[in-house]
Amino acid sequence: MSIRTSERDDAPFDLLLRRLNGYFPLSEADVALVRSLCRPARSAPAGVELGGDSRRLFLVAGWACRWRVLPNGRRQILGFILPGDSVGLTDGPEPPLHHSVAVTRVSVIDATALVDRINSGGAGEALSRAFAAADRCEAARHLDHVVRLGAMSAIEGMDHLLGELHRRFADVGLAEEGRFPLAVSQDTLGEALGLSGVHTNRVLAQLRREGRLELGPGWAQLSDARLAS
Amino acid sequence: MSIRTSERDDAPFDLLLRRLNGYFPLSEADVALVRSLCRPARSAPAGVELGGDSRRLFLVAGWACRWRVLPNGRRQILGFILPGDSVGLTDGPEPPLHHSVAVTRVSVIDATALVDRINSGGAGEALSRAFAAADRCEAARHLDHVVRLGAMSAIEGMDHLLGELHRRFADVGLAEEGRFPLAVSQDTLGEALGLSGVHTNRVLAQLRREGRLELGPGWAQLSDARLAS
DNA sequence: CGCCGAATTGACACGGTTCAATTGAGGTGG
DNA sequence: CCACCTCAATTGAACCGTGTCAATTCGGCG
């Protein structure tokens, strides 16, 4: 039992540390600081809004996304949050810029204390740089998303989005030979690209017909040719 | 002559300081630091790419925009840069995330030395906070843009974009009674919204027919009703 | 076995693009 | 001062990508 508990506690932190280390090499002290200031991973079911008491979380399992709701009720997914990603939460009470919501069962680590320490200058420069790099990457992804929505056809946008998802999973070691977890519905994918569910289905069907994509229960696989680019 | 020179040098800084002060109240020392570390405003014609030697500029007159070019040659405008806005420049040599380009004749202040000082902690907290707030506002605008492109019709998106432009000009005191400078072509506006030039024209025509918008040479005016919202 | 959400497919309507032609306004040279 | 040039704005018509509505199938789960 103690072994299982230990495994359950370590794997999430390993993922988080691997990601941060990818942004900027961390020292032993940095790693220890992360472990000491972050609370153990908690689990939450699909549909719950992330946030509440915490101002900063890290997702270590499952899918979440940021979305914004329009007055007319329509919803736009601003981006997906994948294992290893940080969940910045808008603390202001009034019209929040976006909501962060779990779209599958997720597991999160509360890093509020860690970012507080970093912001007060009490952490090393490595951690500060790693977090800054993570934020820059997220900003860059938002620009990618603007380009997908504004300057690409449905097919191109889907292709591009799947490529991003694959690369991000590969970055944390969760993709193999082009195959990565895809645990959200086609409708959800469509909400990110501004497409109707029906058309999302047709776009995916075409990508499969062309041999560029294979879909299975809970995963997607891009063709070798697609990965070469 | 000395008076005219003085006016020419002060107005750009006043605009910059007004904007920064709006983000976070600056002390006399902060203002002095800005004036001492920023170089006088320079002018550049439409079409030039901003950047080159400087890593951070402030636009104080004219319009610029950030765009990205796709392999197929298509171009997507990621956002407009208006008087008072900072122009963050990607320093890395390789595939730049985006280009910052003047779309009219512009006037810019080189603030590279100032941000270097801020990043090294040699400036007060107020300036640091003001710059951080400016960056957050830009990130929020990118999310607005995602929503416009993904979840709004052409009419809604144009309406929303014009509202943003008005608000941003009003924030720096360059809009009066709903009227603000609009010095870019309809095609350029369309490139931001992912619309063809022809359809951009039709959308603007409809907004005018409905009395929500008035266009003149170099300016636009939103109806009172539109401003009330 | 029967239920339910997700995926799939077909038919049709609509928004937006494209091609092409015309108009309008500022700028320049004769 | 006018003719001309050029670029932006405008308009029309045909085409096509995507949305919408509706029905059907599929797959997991009670």
Side-chain angles (χ1 to χ4, degrees):
Chain A
M1 264 325 202
S2 66
I3 290 178
R4 280 198 58 217
T5 303
S6 168
E7 283 177 354
R8 222 171 45 219
D9 287 340
D10 280 354
F13 278 96
D14 287 346
L15 179 69
L16 169 53
L17 290 167
R18 194 182 325 149
R19 167 57 68 92
L20 290 175
N21 202 65
Y23 287 129
F24 199 89
L26 302 185
S27 68
E28 296 281 338
D30 295 324
V31 172
L33 195 63
V34 171
R35 287 188 187 277
S36 69
L37 286 182
C38 290
R39 302 163 72 178
R42 284 173 304 161
S43 183
V48 306
E49 178 160 1
L50 305 177
D53 50 340
S54 319
R55 291 196 313 284
R56 185 84 163 209
L57 300 174
F58 273 92
L59 196 78
V60 289
W63 285 52
C65 69
R66 289 178 235 270
W67 71 41
R68 204 186 283 183
V69 182
L70 277 71
N72 67 27
R74 194 161 173 185
R75 204 168 63 177
Q76 174 65 40
I77 290 183
L78 304 168
F80 289 109
I81 302 168
L82 306 183
D85 289 334
S86 99
V87 184
L89 301 163
T90 51
D91 35 358
E94 265 334 279
L97 286 174
H98 52 74
H99 302 271
S100 297
V101 182
V103 287
T104 71
R105 170 159 281 275
V106 297
S107 183
V108 296
I109 287 177
D110 188 334
T112 302
L114 178 59
V115 297
D116 284 349
R117 175 74 69 94
I118 289 173
N119 287 338
S120 68
E125 185 177 355
L127 278 172
S128 178
R129 287 203 182 204
F131 273 74
D135 287 346
R136 274 199 305 277
C137 284
E138 189 188 332
R141 283 198 302 269
H142 285 150
L143 297 188
D144 287 340
H145 206 46
V146 167
V147 172
R148 274 193 290 265
L149 292 167
M152 291 186 180
S153 69
I155 289 274
E156 293 169 330
M158 180 63 75
D159 202 45
H160 193 265
L161 176 59
L162 291 173
E164 172 188 314
L165 293 172
H166 170 264
R167 188 177 35 72
R168 289 170 65 186
F169 274 111
D171 282 348
V172 289
L174 292 177
E176 286 188 7
E177 299 175 19
R179 182 172 297 196
F180 60 92
L182 184 64
V184 300
S185 73
Q186 297 184 356
D187 282 294
T188 302
L189 229 40
E191 277 184 312
L193 293 169
L195 300 177
S196 69
V198 172
H199 200 60
T200 302
N201 180 277
R202 294 194 161 107
V203 165
L204 290 172
Q206 177 169 347
L207 288 176
R208 276 183 292 183
R209 257 198 319 278
E210 296 174 355
R212 298 154 75 179
L213 172 68
E214 205 177 332
L215 289 177
W219 54 264
Q221 176 150 16
L222 299 179
S223 73
D224 299 342
R226 174 63 187 76
L227 291 175
S229 68
Chain B
M1 262 324 204
S2 65
I3 291 178
R4 280 199 59 215
T5 302
S6 169
E7 284 176 356
R8 221 173 42 219
D9 288 340
D10 280 355
F13 278 96
D14 287 346
L15 179 70
L16 169 54
L17 289 167
R18 194 182 325 149
R19 167 56 68 92
L20 291 175
N21 201 66
Y23 287 128
F24 199 89
L26 303 184
S27 68
E28 296 280 340
D30 295 324
V31 171
L33 195 63
V34 170
R35 288 188 186 276
S36 70
L37 287 181
C38 290
R39 302 161 73 179
R42 284 173 305 160
S43 183
V48 307
E49 178 160 0
L50 305 177
D53 50 340
S54 318
R55 291 197 312 285
R56 185 86 163 207
L57 300 173
F58 273 92
L59 195 79
V60 289
W63 285 52
C65 69
R66 289 179 236 270
W67 70 42
R68 204 186 283 184
V69 182
L70 277 72
N72 67 26
R74 195 161 173 183
R75 204 168 63 177
Q76 173 66 40
I77 289 183
L78 304 168
F80 289 109
I81 302 168
L82 307 183
D85 289 335
S86 100
V87 184
L89 301 164
T90 50
D91 34 359
E94 264 336 278
L97 287 174
H98 52 75
H99 302 270
S100 297
V101 182
V103 287
T104 69
R105 169 159 282 276
V106 297
S107 183
V108 296
I109 287 177
D110 188 334
T112 303
L114 178 59
V115 298
D116 284 348
R117 173 75 70 94
I118 289 173
N119 288 338
S120 68
E125 184 176 356
L127 278 172
S128 177
R129 286 203 184 204
F131 273 74
D135 287 346
R136 273 199 305 278
C137 284
E138 189 188 331
R141 283 199 302 269
H142 285 150
L143 297 187
D144 287 340
H145 206 45
V146 167
V147 172
R148 274 193 289 263
L149 292 167
M152 291 187 180
S153 69
I155 290 274
E156 293 169 329
M158 180 64 74
D159 202 45
H160 193 266
L161 175 58
L162 291 173
E164 172 188 315
L165 293 173
H166 170 263
R167 188 177 35 72
R168 289 169 65 187
F169 275 110
D171 282 347
V172 290
L174 293 176
E176 286 188 8
E177 299 174 20
R179 181 172 298 197
F180 60 92
L182 183 63
V184 300
S185 73
Q186 297 183 357
D187 281 291
T188 302
L189 230 39
E191 276 184 312
L193 293 170
L195 300 176
S196 69
V198 171
H199 199 60
T200 303
N201 179 279
R202 293 193 164 109
V203 165
L204 290 172
Q206 177 170 345
L207 288 175
R208 275 181 294 182
R209 257 199 318 277
E210 295 174 356
R212 299 155 73 180
L213 172 68
E214 203 177 334
L215 290 178
W219 54 263
Q221 175 149 16
L222 298 179
S223 74
D224 299 343
R226 173 63 188 76
L227 290 175
S229 68

